[in-house]
Amino acid sequence: DLSNATDLPASALPAGSIIAVESVLKTDTFSSSVTGGSNVEVTDLSITHAMSDASNKLLITAYFGVAANSDGKGQVGIAVHNGSTLIGVGDSSGSRTPVSAGGESTSGGDTGQVVFPNVTIPYEPGDTASRTYTVRAINIRNTTYTLYVNRNQSDNDTGSAPRGVSALIIQEVAG
């Protein structure tokens, strides 16, 4: 009989328990001109979240179903921004562009694209402040290009021009 049951507070859950799950799905396309080595926030891929306890952790998953640049290649990286910096990216060394995932496809012409650049990263904010997490597309080239998400460069109306879906998922895990 659960008639006298009460909700268990998140603070009473054992470490590793999922406290909250939030997600957003982007089905339309996105494009933006981005200078070499820079990043741009992809519209409609953001979640604002405040941790319920400062000792909890986040498990963040972000992905682009398809990504491309205006040079006809898939030279697009992906990362998550926490409102002040990119998180879970590689070390920057020399002129190398730090990303969480993504890179250059082997095909060229107007059909080159990165299919499913994705990342799952652990993150520990260390406080209960509200933050807006956004997914960023990163131009990994040294030249300004238009970056495309959920489509390739040409976006021709043919079966060989894919349309994708992208998402951001945040899971708060008890510390």
Side-chain angles (χ1 to χ4, degrees):
D1 178 21
L2 296 176
S3 59
N4 293 324
T6 59
D7 289 338
L8 185 64
S11 60
L13 294 172
S17 298
I18 301 296
I19 303 296
V21 177
E22 298 177 63
S23 64
V24 62
L25 190 68
K26 180 177 182 62
T27 59
D28 61 343
T29 62
F30 171 85
S31 64
S32 181
S33 178
V34 180
T35 59
S38 296
N39 66 76
V40 63
E41 178 181 333
V42 178
T43 57
D44 303 324
L45 281 179
S46 68
I47 295 173
T48 301
H49 182 80
M51 303 294 281
S52 62
D53 188 292
S55 65
N56 291 349
K57 300 167 181 62
L58 288 179
L59 189 59
I60 303 172
T61 300
Y63 68 85
F64 296 147
V66 175
N69 74 3
S70 56
D71 191 30
K73 297 183 174 76
Q75 299 158 331
V76 180
I78 186 172
V80 174
H81 195 272
N82 70 359
S84 59
T85 190
L86 295 177
I87 58 176
V89 295
D91 291 337
S92 179
S93 177
S95 298
R96 295 168 186 87
T97 303
V99 300
S100 294
E104 186 168 348
S105 70
T106 56
S107 74
D110 65 357
T111 61
Q113 66 234 349
V114 178
V115 178
F116 201 65
N118 65 88
V119 62
T120 299
I121 55 172
Y123 179 62
E124 298 180 42
D127 58 35
T128 58
S130 179
R131 287 183 176 79
T132 299
Y133 298 91
T134 60
V135 180
R136 302 293 180 107
I138 303 169
N139 179 358
I140 65 168
R141 298 298 304 260
N142 294 329
T143 305
T144 299
Y145 285 113
T146 298
L147 303 185
Y148 303 100
V149 174
N150 289 345
R151 55 164 279 195
N152 67 5
Q153 175 193 4
S154 66
D155 200 34
N156 293 329
D157 190 10
T158 68
S160 62
R163 286 283 181 96
V165 63
S166 300
L168 173 62
I169 304 159
I170 292 178
Q171 300 175 72
E172 184 176 345
V173 181

